[in-house]
Amino acid sequence: MRGIFVFLALMLVSRVHGFDVWVNQSEVGSRKNPCSSSWGRPLCVGLTLIQSAASKGALCMDGSLPGYHLHHGFGSGSNSWVVVLEGGGWCNDVTSCNGRKFNHRGSSKYFEYEIPFEGILSNKQDENPDFYNWNRVKVRYCDGGSFTGDGYNAAGLYFRGQRIFQAAMEELMSKGMRYANQALLAGCSAGGLAVIHHCDEFGALFPRGRRVKCLSDAGMFLDAVDVAGHRTLRSFFSSVVRLHRSARTLSRTCTSRMDPTSCFFPQNMIPNIRTPLFILNSAYDAWQVLESLATPRADRQGLWTKCKSNHAFCNGNQIQFLQGFRNQMLNVVSDFSNSRQNGLFINSCFAHCQSERSDTWYAGNSPQIGNKRIATAVGDWFFDRSQIKAIDCAYPCDGSCHHLL
């Protein structure tokens, strides 16, 4: 039952032209902001708009300025930086993108002035032992294309994700990140996908010899077949890439041998990434179960309705299908995991985004693999304390999960 209550508290589902854009509210700030509460208030960090962005054409979907939240580091972390790219789904046509112009996913006019910094962004050592005193940044997401687009639509829509990423990095370098002796680019969901697309670009900002790595949380969106035998996510991503003109900014190493839509999928990008990368993902990613594998369009008879509301209601055939999805996930990361510089934490939870939540990052009851919590695994990998290639046993063996369905 706990999983159901967490699901109801943290998630919303909105219909966008036949594609359910399931949004983790903790990642986009559309839940009630804890910063507005006077009781139990977490660290809340104010918004900074990037004033130089306009001259570079680095604009949110409605033409407003992009922004970020920065909490300065201290002590031994003064010259270390963690930069988190916000997530929040995608839009794939003029109508759905136009809708974003009127909320925080497409306009800085609707950004919260303050947002909570939790999980990997926390400033408390007992919540975030390795990164608590670093300079911690959250770059807001207002382009709808995982920071990859570079176009403009006659309807007045700016698809400038690539320019926003570049403007944000230039701004942060001017704020002191150029002096970083170690840096980590992170993000979850659409932000986790953006990390994969920008990991090498981030690494190239720093001189050789600096410790620079990337963390993609819940960013492994697979080009998978749904319960009806169709490729729902491929169709959706194809329209995202086309509308946002993302092909211009995707890795040429990939697009020289594959079509742009295939290169938007992380499974075709990770073999080309040179910068050390850590993949944190659930083998039964809750977003993909709901919005890629068992969508209402694919499940017209509603056979998956109970399973999607509570994993305990999934029947044998449904579990077998989900195990097949897990196997595909493991096959995708098998070669990636062979590299000593890369890290892996694939747990068997029905979850999505685990690095920016205090209850899943380093709480006493956080998800674990081999008695190691996510924050510990990421820290051990980042600081080269040990190699981390953690793959959980198949569902339902893991009792430490915080299920979202």
Side-chain angles (χ1 to χ4, degrees):
M1 290 299 291
R2 180 183 65 182
I4 299 175
F5 288 124
V6 172
F7 174 77
L8 293 173
L10 294 178
M11 305 297 158
L12 64 85
V13 178
S14 59
R15 177 78 62 183
V16 178
H17 280 239
F19 190 91
D20 292 328
V21 178
W22 181 88
V23 181
N24 183 335
Q25 294 184 358
S26 67
E27 78 186 40
V28 298
S30 53
R31 63 178 178 176
K32 184 177 179 180
N33 194 334
C35 295
S36 63
S37 173
S38 60
W39 181 84
R41 178 182 165 97
L43 170 67
C44 293
V45 180
L47 172 69
T48 298
L49 295 179
I50 304 173
Q51 299 299 328
S52 63
S55 64
K56 302 168 184 173
L59 302 170
C60 294
M61 201 161 287
D62 69 334
S64 59
L65 294 175
Y68 62 92
H69 302 255
L70 163 63
H71 191 255
H72 291 284
F74 56 93
S76 62
S78 296
N79 288 325
S80 300
W81 289 70
V82 56
V83 179
V84 173
L85 303 179
E86 185 178 38
W90 310 268
C91 61
N92 69 324
D93 57 29
V94 171
T95 301
S96 61
C97 290
N98 192 63
R100 287 186 173 230
K101 291 168 62 176
F102 303 101
N103 61 52
H104 58 274
R105 296 185 208 118
S107 173
S108 62
K109 297 174 184 176
Y110 300 92
F111 285 172
E112 303 88 342
Y113 175 70
E114 290 185 315
I115 62 170
F117 270 27
E118 301 174 295
I120 195 172
L121 291 171
S122 172
N123 67 333
K124 299 178 181 178
Q125 188 173 9
D126 60 349
E127 295 180 358
N128 186 25
D130 284 309
F131 309 105
Y132 73 98
N133 63 345
W134 286 29
N135 297 283
R136 285 154 291 109
V137 185
K138 188 158 193 175
V139 179
R140 300 304 297 269
Y141 180 48
C142 61
D143 68 276
S146 280
F147 295 90
T148 65
D150 189 25
Y152 178 78
N153 184 275
L157 294 166
Y158 292 86
F159 304 114
R160 301 291 174 79
Q162 174 67 29
R163 299 191 198 190
I164 291 173
F165 177 82
Q166 291 173 337
M169 295 306 107
E170 289 174 11
E171 171 95 349
L172 296 176
M173 293 296 276
S174 74
K175 297 291 184 181
M177 193 168 73
R178 67 162 70 94
Y179 304 115
N181 50 36
Q182 48 195 7
L184 176 66
L185 180 68
C188 82
S189 194
L193 177 59
V195 166
I196 290 172
H197 284 297
H198 291 288
C199 184
D200 281 340
E201 189 176 351
F202 183 74
L205 294 174
F206 305 92
R208 287 188 177 183
R210 309 279 180 91
R211 178 181 277 126
V212 182
K213 301 185 180 184
C214 304
L215 164 64
S216 174
D217 176 9
M220 285 300 296
F221 298 96
L222 299 185
D223 186 5
V225 175
D226 64 24
V227 297
H230 304 138
R231 294 188 179 273
T232 297
L233 193 55
R234 167 166 278 273
S235 176
F236 183 76
F237 275 177
S238 177
S239 56
V240 171
V241 169
R242 184 169 55 252
L243 180 66
H244 290 253
R245 299 187 180 180
S246 298
R248 299 178 178 182
T249 69
L250 296 175
S251 166
R252 291 184 180 180
T253 303
C254 183
T255 57
S256 64
R257 58 185 178 82
M258 304 182 78
D259 63 274
T261 298
S262 295
C263 293
F264 198 72
F265 279 98
Q267 65 198 67
N268 300 316
M269 284 295 300
I270 58 175
N272 306 319
I273 296 175
R274 301 180 301 276
T275 307
L277 173 66
F278 191 101
I279 292 176
L280 165 61
N281 228 95
S282 169
Y284 312 96
D285 183 85
W287 188 94
Q288 294 183 73
V289 171
L290 292 172
E291 304 307 329
S292 172
L293 302 179
T295 66
R297 178 173 292 184
D299 180 35
R300 295 186 183 278
Q301 294 181 312
L303 300 178
W304 281 77
T305 301
K306 288 186 177 180
C307 177
K308 290 191 297 182
S309 69
N310 187 335
H311 62 91
F313 296 150
C314 298
N315 62 38
N317 290 334
Q318 290 166 338
I319 292 296
Q320 184 177 2
F321 179 88
L322 294 174
Q323 301 294 21
F325 178 76
R326 173 182 180 269
N327 290 338
Q328 182 179 353
M329 177 81 70
L330 298 185
N331 287 336
V332 164
V333 300
S334 60
D335 288 341
F336 168 87
S337 67
N338 289 332
S339 171
R340 291 179 59 86
Q341 71 174 11
N342 295 328
L344 200 64
F345 192 102
I346 306 293
N347 59 12
S348 292
C349 307
F350 289 89
H352 186 73
C353 290
Q354 301 177 88
S355 63
E356 295 179 52
R357 290 174 46 184
S358 58
D359 66 317
T360 52
W361 179 242
Y362 193 66
N365 64 342
S366 288
Q368 300 180 25
I369 299 179
N371 296 319
K372 187 167 289 193
R373 287 172 280 186
I374 294 170
T376 305
V378 172
D380 285 351
W381 164 79
F382 185 88
F383 293 104
D384 299 317
R385 293 190 293 246
S386 64
Q387 288 194 48
I388 303 296
K389 316 288 185 182
I391 297 177
D392 212 351
C393 50
Y395 173 85
C397 73
D398 191 340
S400 69
C401 288
H402 292 203
H403 295 298
L404 295 179
L405 60 85

